[in-house]
Amino acid sequence: MLASETLEAAQAEPVAVSLMSMPKSKGKEFDGFIITEGQYSAPLLNPAWSPSRTQAARRLLRVAIARARYGVMLVRPSNVGPLTG
């Protein structure tokens, strides 16, 4: 039984993965969406930002989140606080 499951898994069609920035995702749709925030890149949101910059960043996040049909995962560095802004 295990051998047949391994064989079936080996013959499965590969699933395509698209890598793009959040603005490039506008108008597209995916089963799932992973949003990453790097340790050495700008944060997704920052309470120190001006209200207009925060509003623009929130709109961009909403665009990215709305691209997923089934699920969204946020991947963030372990040393950052909660996502606020």
Side-chain angles (χ1 to χ4, degrees):
M1 180 167 198
L2 182 58
S4 66
E5 289 176 7
T6 303
L7 183 58
E8 288 173 17
Q11 294 175 351
E13 289 291 318
V15 177
V17 173
S18 297
L19 183 64
M20 66 186 68
S21 65
M22 288 190 292
K24 294 277 186 183
S25 70
K26 189 173 183 178
K28 295 176 175 55
E29 192 173 61
F30 304 95
D31 288 340
F33 208 86
I34 300 172
I35 301 170
T36 62
E37 178 180 12
Q39 183 174 358
Y40 302 107
S41 62
L44 295 172
L45 293 173
N46 186 334
W49 287 345
S50 69
S52 62
R53 183 174 178 188
T54 298
Q55 187 177 26
R58 290 180 74 169
R59 272 195 307 271
L60 187 59
L61 262 175
R62 190 171 36 254
V63 164
I65 290 169
R67 303 302 97 211
R69 288 184 197 110
Y70 303 110
V72 174
M73 179 184 294
L74 289 172
V75 178
R76 303 179 70 227
S78 60
N79 63 340
V80 297
L83 189 60
T84 61

